[in-house]
Amino acid sequence: MSSRGVVWLGSPSFPDAARVALKDDQLRANLKRATGTIRDKRLTVAAELDDWEELRTAAEAIKNRTARHLDHYLVQLEESVTAAGGTVHWASDAAEANRIVTELVQATGEREVVKVKSMATQEIGLNEALAEAGITAYETDLAELIVQLGDDRPSHILVPAIHKNRTEIRDLFRAEMGHWGQPAPEDLTDEPRELAEAARRHLRQKFLTAKVAVSGANFACADTGTVLVVESEGNGRMCLTLPETLITVMGIEKVLPTWSDLEVFLQLLPRSSTGERMNPYTSTWSGTTEGDGPSEFHLVLLDNGRTDTLADPVGRQTLGCIRCSACLNVCPVFERTGGHAYGSVYPGPIGAVLTPQLVGVEQAASLPFASTLCGACYDACPVKINIPEVLAHLRAKVVEAKDGHTVEGLAMKAAGKVLDSPRLLGAAQKAAALGGRALARNGKIGRLPGPLHGWTDTRDTPAPPAESFRTWWRKNRESE
Amino acid sequence: MRIALFITCFNDTMFPGTGRAVVTVLERLGHTVDFPQEQTCCGQMHFNTGYRPDAVPLVARFARTFADYDAIVTPSASCAGMVKENHPLLAEEYGHEQLRRDVAGLVPRVHEFTEFLTDVLKVTDVGAHFPHRVSYHPTCHSLRGLRLGDRPQQLLRAVRGIDLVDLPAADSCCGFGGTFAVKNADTSSAMLADKTAGVLATGAEVLCAADNSCLMHIGGGLSRQGSAVRTMHLAEILASTEGDQL
């Protein structure tokens, strides 16, 4: 299974993929339990801070300011990182980023790299690109390891294996771990402690032998050149400290102006993502230090559609995303369909707005419609990204791209004409009342064929009453 | 105060009883209601489905029709939200200077029905009587769009004879979402199934809300399952009296 770019090429549209996912009862049970638990935890720890709303406002303001002066902060970051002994590389798209990382690994003479969870490298399909060059990338985040062993795709930003339960994971470990390194014990059970121990032993071998690591970054501070990764397991810290060469790939929007801005984000991120007051491991590094940690550090700054997104005054707020996944966990659509239905590295509400912007709306035309606009994501977002606003904005772009030459477009034009005329609306109401009553039994319209079958398969519809309100008004109030 | 009723095209066509109920309540409270006949639709369907330019004439029509009223009252949280949130946006994006000014002047005078009762008329007891077990579904547009809070519950709690029961997972979307229910019918149905299960768990005879569109969706699901639970706009509960049960 190959993942190229933000969108998995050949993925079905959201409604089709969702239809398949909805039939998987196990998946729905896994999702409901996982998102429900994390949702409640988030609400509890967010409520502990009496300045939660002020923190959100501050985060939004910092992100907006960063976006307005992104060129300035990126150049400053390059200067700071270089001064600290690192090397900065600029990648305009996925192919360029993959080429840079591959050449950096090749220059070390190594054929294996360890990786700590990085959405940016998933976005560009780095593992596949490295494999083509004969380099094996080992995922070390537990959930990413599960996804890699299963030749699977991540289905959640924070919990990439959220769609798997522990029995499925046990079976996967027993069947696949041996092909990648240290095998799982023969008698492995599905106890979480045993599963974690099997993963620990499997990964330890990699940590102790790897000379090159690839990481993502949660933030990078322009003033100090400090790069930062937050995580729960400590595997990231192993990758960040043990190897000789560290290559970090980050989207250009992850830069923050100053070190002190972290104060805001390190309160918001763990609470919003895992529902914890603080994550167990926060690793920061500025360039290289002799005799301590990697002796070579490379920072790859990835554009890949981000400056195009920045050019859109409504859509650019999406770049404020800190990948906490709070929007996924509160989204009623994600809760039913899971992440794979979005056909993208970035699933859920944020994926539905970020993906079409990074790859162009034509490439992900069904995603802006994969929402009821219920607004739960906007309320949950720690940086106040107005996801419903961006969804509606992108829907207009999808329609524009199709130039109105669709059945729906013609129907909308016709409806617009009727709705702009009280006379035509009155006539349509009479026709609907007659037609509806002809279709109805006992005052209800049941299953219908054609484009409305999706609606009528699961719902009855009341027949329109014989008398509209405006007719009633004319008879009962105007004549008085 | 010159009060105009904005019935919405959907209520006008499908749920005229809700409009009659709004008129009944406001007249009972001593107000005169006008219904400007030139009104049609707020343009929400066009806007939310991505047909923004097609919504602009409807924005202009709305601004023209209701320009002279002190208050424009509508029994739909989602249409009130459309006017308040998106009419200014559309006027800014496509309109001329005059339309922008007209819309900006009009928006503060547009009120969702329950908010109009509690915040403008300052009443919670509207003299209603409804001796039934009732549950309230806060629709997404009333909950997170207009931030109605517990205004609807304040009004319902003041109804004589009512047995108001909490809806489990009340703040979860029912899965209607306008054209979402057609474009993503399967996901919509899965969300609906959870919502109807919650409604049935309450043992309520009636489910009410401030949006008939969501109620038509939930009621349609209940009806297909053979349930006897009725869905009613809360205006109809507030219009009910001892002598005149709806």
Side-chain angles (χ1 to χ4, degrees):
Chain A
M1 206 179 280
S2 73
S3 62
R4 270 173 279 157
V6 181
V7 175
W8 292 310
L9 291 180
S11 292
S13 73
F14 183 84
D16 292 336
R19 189 173 305 120
V20 177
L22 286 161
K23 288 186 183 132
D24 187 341
D25 292 339
Q26 182 66 58
L27 172 72
R28 272 177 75 187
N30 295 352
L31 284 167
K32 191 171 183 159
R33 194 174 44 246
T35 57
T37 307
I38 211 161
R39 198 157 56 206
D40 293 344
K41 277 174 70 183
R42 182 184 67 85
L43 285 175
T44 308
V45 296
E48 287 174 356
L49 295 182
D50 50 19
D51 60 348
W52 183 254
E53 288 308 313
E54 285 85 351
L55 281 168
R56 289 179 73 205
T57 307
E60 183 191 24
I62 293 168
K63 283 291 189 176
N64 284 344
R65 190 175 74 241
T66 311
R68 278 200 303 276
H69 307 288
L70 191 62
D71 52 346
H72 166 75
Y73 290 120
L74 286 171
V75 170
Q76 195 189 357
L77 177 68
E78 181 180 35
E79 287 165 2
S80 306
V81 168
T82 309
T87 309
V88 173
H89 309 259
W90 299 79
S92 60
D93 59 16
E96 194 174 7
N98 286 332
R99 186 177 50 72
I100 292 167
V101 177
T102 305
E103 286 174 7
L104 287 170
V105 178
Q106 281 168 339
T108 66
E110 293 297 316
R111 308 297 292 269
E112 294 187 346
V113 300
V114 285
K115 281 186 70 203
V116 51
K117 187 178 161 190
S118 154
M119 303 218 63
T121 62
Q122 284 168 14
E123 177 187 321
I124 59 177
L126 178 66
N127 289 11
E128 290 80 358
L130 289 174
E132 273 174 38
I135 300 162
T136 310
Y138 294 98
E139 295 291 349
T140 67
D141 174 89
L142 178 55
E144 287 293 342
L145 173 67
I146 293 164
V147 169
Q148 185 172 46
L149 291 176
D151 193 15
D152 200 353
R153 289 167 172 173
S155 63
H156 190 281
I157 287 176
L158 185 83
V159 201
I162 198 170
H163 55 294
K164 296 265 188 218
N165 65 22
R166 56 193 214 201
T167 311
E168 293 170 296
I169 294 166
R170 191 264 324 264
D171 294 344
L172 192 60
F173 277 14
R174 288 218 291 225
E176 299 296 334
M177 261 183 180
H179 302 308
W180 288 81
Q182 168 114 3
E186 289 282 317
D187 56 350
L188 183 68
T189 73
D190 62 2
E191 280 301 308
R193 203 183 52 77
E194 280 196 36
L195 293 175
E197 184 59 24
R200 184 176 290 129
R201 286 177 184 282
H202 178 80
L203 289 171
R204 177 144 305 170
Q205 190 193 32
K206 303 292 171 209
F207 290 136
L208 294 177
T209 54
K211 300 277 191 290
V212 182
V214 175
S215 90
N218 289 94
F219 306 102
C221 307
D223 60 345
T224 57
T226 306
V227 186
L228 183 142
V229 163
V230 298
E231 43 138 0
S232 298
E233 295 164 8
N235 295 339
R237 178 159 296 180
M238 304 284 257
C239 291
L240 297 166
T241 52
L242 289 176
E244 291 163 10
T245 300
L246 172 60
I247 304 165
T248 299
V249 183
M250 69 168 239
I252 51 174
E253 82 284 13
K254 294 288 181 83
V255 66
L256 293 176
T258 68
W259 166 263
S260 59
D261 293 325
L262 290 171
E263 179 224 341
V264 170
F265 292 97
L266 291 182
Q267 292 188 75
L268 289 170
L269 179 55
R271 282 183 166 85
S272 301
S273 57
T274 51
E276 294 168 298
R277 296 183 187 96
M278 180 47 81
N279 49 287
Y281 294 88
T282 301
S283 304
T284 69
W285 67 100
S286 309
T288 55
T289 307
E290 205 173 319
D292 182 14
S295 53
E296 242 188 86
F297 168 56
H298 297 274
L299 180 62
V300 181
L301 295 173
L302 175 71
D303 184 330
N304 206 30
R306 284 159 174 81
T307 47
D308 290 342
T309 306
L310 194 62
D312 181 335
V314 178
R316 69 170 62 131
Q317 57 184 309
T318 312
L319 296 179
C321 175
I322 56 173
R323 312 281 189 263
C324 72
S325 72
C327 64
L328 277 65
N329 298 325
V330 298
C331 178
V333 172
F334 179 89
E335 186 184 331
R336 270 75 181 189
T337 63
H340 288 163
Y342 294 79
S344 160
V345 169
Y346 303 105
I350 191 65
V353 289
L354 186 59
T355 303
Q357 294 192 91
L358 292 183
V359 300
V361 288
E362 297 91 343
Q363 306 301 316
S366 65
L367 290 186
F369 297 92
S371 164
T372 63
L373 304 181
C374 86
C377 50
Y378 184 23
D379 274 11
C381 179
V383 290
K384 291 196 180 174
I385 299 168
N386 189 338
I387 296 176
E389 181 189 33
V390 184
L391 285 166
H393 172 74
L394 294 176
R395 288 177 183 190
K397 286 191 178 291
V398 172
V399 167
E400 212 176 291
K402 290 181 179 168
D403 208 16
H405 296 125
T406 56
V407 176
E408 182 189 270
L410 296 173
M412 285 286 171
K413 277 261 178 292
K417 285 223 178 340
V418 171
L419 290 170
D420 194 21
S421 156
R423 188 181 56 79
L424 291 178
L425 176 59
Q429 285 169 336
K430 289 200 178 73
L434 283 173
R437 294 179 106 68
L439 285 170
R441 276 192 198 148
N442 303 324
K444 286 183 251 175
I445 300 168
R447 282 194 170 79
L448 292 178
L452 288 175
H453 84 91
W455 168 273
T456 59
D457 276 356
T458 52
R459 311 160 189 87
D460 291 332
T461 312
E467 188 178 72
S468 68
F469 179 82
R470 66 182 63 232
T471 307
W472 174 85
W473 180 271
R474 258 199 306 276
K475 283 187 195 162
N476 293 277
R477 287 296 193 279
E478 294 282 291
S479 54
E480 277 171 12
Chain B
M1 183 165 41
R2 290 199 68 202
I3 302 174
L5 168 65
F6 172 49
I7 181 67
T8 81
C9 61
F10 178 70
N11 285 325
D12 187 6
T13 309
M14 295 298 290
F15 297 96
T18 296
R20 295 196 296 270
V22 171
V23 174
T24 301
V25 172
L26 293 177
E27 287 180 349
R28 191 200 296 150
L29 294 170
H31 299 278
T32 306
V33 184
D34 198 3
F35 179 77
Q37 307 255 353
E38 289 302 302
Q39 66 175 277
T40 53
C41 166
C42 65
Q44 186 179 187
M45 176 179 75
H46 287 98
F47 182 89
N48 281 354
T49 316
Y51 295 84
R52 286 186 177 202
D54 296 307
V56 179
L58 303 176
V59 173
R61 165 173 292 278
F62 188 94
R64 205 162 60 231
T65 305
F66 294 104
D68 295 334
Y69 292 90
D70 302 312
I72 299 101
V73 180
T74 185
S76 163
S78 77
C79 299
M82 172 68 197
V83 173
K84 286 174 165 296
E85 282 275 311
N86 299 324
H87 279 200
L89 219 115
L90 287 169
E92 185 64 41
E93 208 170 334
Y94 302 96
H96 43 77
E97 184 55 34
Q98 187 60 43
L99 183 63
R100 286 201 282 274
R101 271 203 303 272
D102 290 349
V103 167
L106 190 62
V107 159
R109 289 180 271 142
V110 174
H111 303 280
E112 184 277 333
F113 177 58
T114 61
E115 179 255 347
F116 181 69
L117 292 175
T118 59
D119 293 15
V120 181
L121 300 184
K122 313 273 185 207
V123 288
T124 45
D125 185 346
V126 298
H129 175 88
F130 194 74
H132 299 283
R133 194 175 171 90
V134 174
S135 199
Y136 169 74
H137 168 60
T139 63
C140 300
H141 285 101
S142 43
L143 188 71
R144 288 177 288 266
L146 295 180
R147 307 262 174 219
L148 289 185
D150 74 337
R151 290 176 180 84
Q153 285 99 324
Q154 288 176 31
L155 291 159
L156 288 167
R157 276 196 293 268
V159 172
R160 274 167 278 290
I162 200 167
D163 174 14
L164 194 61
V165 288
D166 286 340
L167 183 66
D171 60 356
S172 300
C173 176
C174 69
F176 172 62
T179 45
F180 176 85
V182 177
K183 282 180 186 281
N184 285 282
D186 300 86
T187 310
S188 170
S189 296
M191 291 161 71
L192 173 62
D194 290 345
K195 186 56 74 176
T196 54
V199 174
L200 294 174
T202 63
E205 303 156 67
V206 173
L207 179 76
C208 73
D211 271 297
N212 272 325
S213 47
C214 308
L215 283 177
M216 183 175 81
H217 166 75
I218 302 169
L222 288 165
S223 166
R224 181 61 58 83
Q225 293 170 50
S227 158
V229 178
R230 290 169 69 194
T231 47
M232 283 172 83
H233 194 284
L234 63 70
E236 293 168 38
I237 292 176
L238 300 181
S240 300
T241 56
E242 206 143 1
D244 193 8
Q245 282 285 318
L246 283 174

